[in-house]
């Protein structure tokens, strides 16, 4: 099965760029699925509280700050998209 027609199952964790192509002032990356909270904990210098936007530093795999911005954690069953 190619990536184009792969089917996601509810237990998948996915990460995707959510910013439209082109030049923009803000980049958005969406992570969803059961490992989202764990991934956020590895990338951020704060533990985000559900549904509260928090300023955070974003870290690389060595813990070095690579950027800063706003983190927003939306947990099931009331996700940020309403699903």
């Amino acid at each position: 099965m190619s990536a184009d027609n792969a089917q996601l199952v509810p237990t998948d964790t996915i990460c995707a760029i959510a910013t439209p192509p082109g030049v923009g002032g803000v980049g958005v990356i969406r992570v969803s699925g059961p490992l989202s909270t764990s991934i956020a904990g590895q990338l951020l210098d704060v533990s985000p509280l559900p549904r509260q936007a928090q300023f955070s530093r974003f870290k690389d795999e060595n813990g070095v700050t690579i950027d800063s911005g706003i983190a927003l954690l939306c947990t099931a069953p009331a996700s940020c998209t309403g699903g």
Side-chain angles (χ1 to χ4, degrees):
M1 177 179 340
S2 74
D4 294 334
N5 63 4
Q7 293 186 355
L8 296 176
V9 294
T11 57
D12 287 342
T13 297
I14 61 169
C15 180
I17 296 172
T19 306
V23 179
V26 176
V28 177
I29 299 172
R30 179 177 176 196
V31 181
S32 61
L35 298 178
S36 297
T37 303
S38 174
I39 292 169
Q42 294 174 39
L43 295 175
L44 307 173
D45 70 345
V46 299
S47 296
L49 300 170
R51 313 198 97 59
Q52 293 185 21
Q54 292 177 267
F55 180 81
S56 178
R57 289 180 182 83
F58 293 80
K59 305 177 293 184
D60 68 10
E61 65 274 7
N62 297 313
V64 176
T65 299
I66 56 172
D67 206 346
S68 60
I70 303 296
L72 180 62
L73 177 64
C74 298
T75 55
S79 71
C80 292
T81 58

